[in-house]
Amino acid sequence: MSTATTARGSLGNLPAEVTSFVGRRQEVTGIRRLLSTNRLVTLTGGGGVGKTRLAQRVGGEMRRAFPDGVWFVELAELRDPDLVAVTVAEALGIREESIGAAAPGLAEFLADRQALIILDNCEQLVAACADLAALLLRSCPEVRILATSRQALRVAGEATLAVQPLSVPDPEVPATPAELARNESASLLAERAAAVLPDFTVTEENSATIARLCQALEGLPLAIELAVARLRVLSLDQILERLTDRYRLLTSGTRNAPARQQTLRALIDWSWDLCSDAERTLWSRVSVFSGGLELDAAEQVCADDALPAEQILDLIASLVDKSVLNRIGDGPRARYRMLEVVREYGALHLAEAGEQDRVAGRHLEWFARLATYGDRNWVSPDQAAVMQRLKDEKANLRVALEFAVSHQLTNVACRLAADLENHWFVRGFLSEGRHWLERALALPPQKHWTRVKALRVAAFIATVQADLTRAERLLIETRALVNELPPSIERAYVPLMEGQIAMFSGDNMRALELFGRSLITFREFGARGGEMWTLCCLGLTRGLSGRPSDGYADLAASLDLGSASGEVWWRSFALWALSVLRWLDGDNAGAAAAAKEGLDVRRLVEDEQFGVGLSLESLAWVAAVEQRDQRAARLLGASQRVWHAMHTSLAAFHRLGDFHDQTVASVRSRLGGRAFDAQLQRGLALSAADAVAYALERTAAPAQRTAAAPDDSGLTKREREVAALIAEGLSNREIAARLVVAQRTAEGHVENILSKLGFTSRSQVAGWLAAQSTPDS
């Protein structure tokens, strides 16, 4: 997932194209008019009516009206109201600057920005969404909100628009290709049919059937898409025959439901009826997943004696063929996802079968094992792959954590939240990690090492976020519990955490003594991760306490351990620490080289935050000493954006905070306040990729992204091939034909390219390919 820019001139994170969007011109105009006079507009309507695509189209057309961007926030997979603000912050590229219903940090960030925020699928979190919307409307006078929900948010000043289905052909007018081309639902059906069957066209012979299908489906976009997917195995006439019969049956049985909901239920019921018993069982069981799933997870979570694991692959293939599951992404591991309405339908059947808790429990077990595997294999060549897997499974990890906490599974909740410590830190998800750890620790306590680990991880997050009082309280319980338990490697982390607090408080002598104790224990247990961590802390603290060169040996030892094991992240941390000490030693060239080498971690661990922020800061100090003041100010802005994202600042790091303040003061005095602030804002405007490229001096640093260094793009070989075809001016259909793939596959490649590059139009891709990398001073 690419990190979006969050400052003036950014375009937001909307898809460059809204596929399958037909008609709706009157609705688009009406919504734009409402947004011109109301700061909160909510689109209401039943599932599948097209609220999301309508909101996206409006946002795309209104980009120029919002200098700070149009931002799309998908909430369908979210269930915890405390994470609404976190999710909005992540969509804006600021991660978890604030969490909770009040979300003051998010409001502060948006206070002077002109932006449109689209909150999509608010219905399951309507109260939390309403609270957040009300706060933003009060605190951010230039922010407007466009929400989609099955019910209004009921916030003061809210304007609502009920989204209706697409227009359907008039049964009194003879159906002809020309007549259907002017009709919204028929045009959508024809477009999607051509995507399934490339040779499909609207003819005199099939026009009547198309018209009747649209009428039976009542113009519901999702229903049309689900029905047309059956063209892989059925003709239009067969689809109409089965759909019409099923629709009659359900409307006579559930008269109290709106007709369009009856139709959609009929359509999904029909998909259910097309499945075998084994397929239905799998459909219901995979509904426990959120945000997608992979084959090995399905085999472990969904299989039992009645549904053997060896059958899961074939059943998934069948569900993909039936469009119940969709293959998503183009990564090395196949991933599958359900439409939300289809997932909810499966969940109802899972509950009716009395299997909800059993399958959800197995889901928890699987993701707890995944987190444990990631923790134990952190110091290994698999580090980057482990972190990518955890990133892909973020929504599932939230579901698992919620199940563990809500069912008061104390040890499992503590272990899962604590085993994700590297996920929380590397990605910058500090506030979310603290949220789950605090909830797990609030459960009835048990005397177990899992609680010790959860306590010390929570203490470290609190320390980094400058909440030393809370960190001390957590460590008091940790020490008491350690003395009652048999020996464990966790014992070594207690003095390490105590040393962190001492170091952050400026008591370096005490920190050195505590780090030394930890190092001995880590080496006794052969715990390389803890040893590298401690060596980094020892080296930095020694260098800050005496001569800078006093810390070089410890940092070199940490780097050697990392190189020998294939570990990446602690190596980058050691390189950053080395850059700081070299800077203090007057070796600016060596300091810059170490910091830039540390930034290369981003190539291996996508969306790394913590180390990036530190290295950007170090390079700013170097630039300031060299009196490259514009560069220094811009790097300070880029670093500040990362600290805001993690809800902390360098001030928490005591003496490092002093270095930061000194650098700001010297650069500001030479540039002048206005010029300094302008460059700082330019740094804040940089996306993560642009900030790294700028820091490495490999490309220009635009306020609005127009180019990225090719090596930092993250594009696969196939995506680079597609990018070249985009630059030639080919449409998605033409790209599909050139590559001999389905049009949907081509569309997916294009969406991935735009997302990874942080672009919003195909023309930007062409410009990116043609751009020359030029350093910026």
Side-chain angles (χ1 to χ4, degrees), residues 84-85 88-89 92 94 97-98 103-111 132 136 140:
V84 170
V88 174
L92 268 65
I94 60 173
E97 177 166 2
S98 58
L106 181 60
E108 181 180 354
F109 179 85
L110 291 167
L132 179 61
L136 295 182
C140 314

Side-chain angles (χ1 to χ4, degrees), residues 613-746:
L614 292 171
S615 294
L616 291 174
E617 183 79 28
S618 181
L619 286 168
W621 301 348
V622 172
V625 171
E626 296 174 342
Q627 295 195 17
R628 300 171 68 188
D629 291 329
Q630 289 188 352
R631 172 176 169 80
R634 204 176 306 180
L635 287 169
L636 287 169
S639 178
Q640 181 178 320
R641 179 179 178 277
V642 177
W643 299 124
H644 283 177
M646 294 187 293
H647 201 200
T648 187
S649 72
L650 263 189
F653 293 74
H654 195 66
R655 192 172 175 194
L656 300 182
D658 294 339
F659 296 155
H660 169 85
D661 293 341
Q662 293 163 12
T663 300
V664 169
S666 63
V667 175
R668 179 182 284 275
S669 68
R670 289 192 295 266
L671 280 179
R674 182 175 298 179
F676 176 84
D677 290 341
Q679 292 299 325
L680 190 77
Q681 288 301 317
R682 291 187 69 183
L684 282 164
L686 295 175
S687 70
D690 281 338
V692 170
Y694 179 67
L696 295 173
E697 299 184 88
R698 294 175 183 172
T699 188
Q704 175 178 321
R705 183 178 184 126
T706 56
D711 289 342
D712 286 332
S713 68
L715 300 186
T716 65
K717 182 178 179 182
R718 173 64 94 181
E719 286 167 352
R720 288 193 294 270
E721 186 178 1
V722 173
L725 298 178
I726 292 173
E728 291 180 25
L730 273 62
S731 66
N732 289 345
R733 182 171 293 185
E734 290 168 334
I735 291 171
R738 180 78 66 88
L739 299 178
V740 195
V741 298
Q743 185 173 336
R744 275 187 178 177
T745 301

Side-chain angles (χ1 to χ4, degrees), residues 545-565:
S545 303
R547 296 172 303 176
S549 58
D550 291 345
Y552 290 172
D554 290 321
L555 297 178
S558 183
L559 287 168
D560 289 343
L561 282 173
S563 297
S565 62

Side-chain angles (χ1 to χ4, degrees), residues 352-372:
E352 289 173 0
E355 292 191 322
Q356 181 68 44
D357 282 356
R358 183 177 69 85
V359 179
R362 297 183 65 170
H363 176 277
L364 167 60
E365 291 172 8
W366 168 258
F367 285 102
R369 287 200 301 271
L370 176 64
T372 298

Side-chain angles (χ1 to χ4, degrees), residues 245-305:
D245 289 343
R246 176 60 64 189
Y247 174 73
R248 286 200 197 102
L249 177 62
L250 286 182
T251 51
S252 63
T254 55
R255 291 192 179 94
N256 62 327
R260 63 180 180 275
Q261 292 180 8
Q262 295 170 14
T263 304
L264 185 59
R265 178 60 185 257
L267 187 61
I268 303 175
D269 268 338
W270 172 47
S271 296
W272 181 265
D273 290 343
L274 287 175
C275 292
S276 66
D277 288 341
E279 289 167 351
R280 293 174 193 167
T281 299
L282 183 60
W283 177 348
S284 65
R285 291 179 181 178
V286 297
S287 69
V288 300
F289 291 91
S290 179
L293 67 146
E294 296 180 4
L295 176 61
D296 55 354
E299 288 173 334
Q300 293 297 314
V301 174
C302 302
D304 58 14
D305 292 341

Side-chain angles (χ1 to χ4, degrees), residues 17 22 234 409 536:
E17 300 175 349
V22 177
L234 297 173
L409 304 174
C536 286

